[in-house]
Amino acid sequence: MINACDFYRLLKEAGIDFYTGVPDSTLKDFCAYVTDTVPPDRHIITANEGGAVALASGHYLGTGKAAMVYMQNSGLGNAVNPLVSLADPDVYTLPLLLLVGFRGEPGVKDEPQHKKMGKITIPMLETLDIQYDIMPNSYEGLQIGMKKVKKILKKGRSFAFVVRIGTFAPYELKRRSNPAGTMTREEAVSFIAGKLHDEAVIVSTTGKISRELYEYREECGFGHERDFLTVGSMGHVSHIAVGIALAQRQRQVYCFDGDGSVIMHLGSLGINGTCAPSNFRHIVFNNAAHDSVGGQPTCGTDIDLVEIARGCGYRYCVKADCRDDLESIFPDFIKIGGPAFLEVRVKKGARKDLGRPHHHPQDLKRMFMQRLGVRE
């Protein structure tokens, strides 16, 4: 295993002192070390991976020094456009050091949403003409690898370290953000799911929100046909919900979103607010953290999501800071026509024994569409 502090020291020796990206569970120990060590103006967690490439490109333009951009391999999808139309040698030749978490690595057991990306990660880097190595898991190997990195960056080319699960030694994040709310997220998810009418459906975002909703149904002995668990495609859950709401205008559609997810594609709020029908309700569980991938901070409590939603055309926008607020607000939130927006402030963290769905996504999709009365 690689100690985060050793890697950081080698990066510093290579002249890299600016870090940006979107957290990933594979990289969480290194990201935690960077959060604790690097000044906030030189470590910026962006809304999405494309934004991180742009920010690192700006850093190079302003300093002549390459920056590190970290991401899960799924984030390569968000990053492709600025990688090929901005940083590429055929355009501006802006060198970057990419640190890419290798979820879904072929031959390694992982969740279904990571399998395809795992298969195409290496071919994708090759297509992008970005030189890469699987990151060494020894300090000696990493020293050799960093010598190669310095030569490539000096030539104005980008390089990617592809990081397997378990490469980094454990590191516990010390810099803790202030609590966003007093409720646990699971408490809030269960409360709201339990208050919805039987004909209503829920579209939930990737990560622990979907896992907690799934466990709530299991604990109550209910089926899962009323929920669409968006296990991948972070940031797109509200548009999935809007698509359903537009197609099934007599059915109440609830979107269970997270702060990291809604911030990732914040422009979706403007589309939701201007085109979403009255049966669409958007709920953001905000703990100011990327909770599913290591707890790195978001700007969720530094911005006013309720006012943003209101400015984007949502008809009814409210916030609940505690259980009493939620109990008071929720009856009107259900009754008043949408598009409606509810921000629920919750605590960071989840219970250690939180399970994962044991249904395959294909089975969950079939049950959900049957519930909607739709045949494939």
Side-chain angles (χ1 to χ4, degrees), residues 21 26 29 38-39 51 56 65 74 80 84 88 134 139 159 215 221 223 232 241-242 267 271-272 276 317 334 346 355:
T26 307
D29 302 294
V38 178
K65 297 166 64 177
S74 63
V80 164
V84 300
D88 192 83
I134 300 296
Y139 181 70
F159 184 86
E215 290 237 324
V242 166
I271 307 304
N272 297 342
C317 304
I334 290 178
V346 294

Side-chain angles (χ1 to χ4, degrees), residues 180-203:
T182 58
M183 285 181 291
T184 67
R185 183 185 50 246
E186 188 166 16
E187 177 186 2
V189 166
S190 299
F191 173 86
I192 294 173
K195 294 292 184 181
L196 303 186
H197 299 300
D198 287 344
E199 78 279 359
V201 295
I202 299 171
V203 184

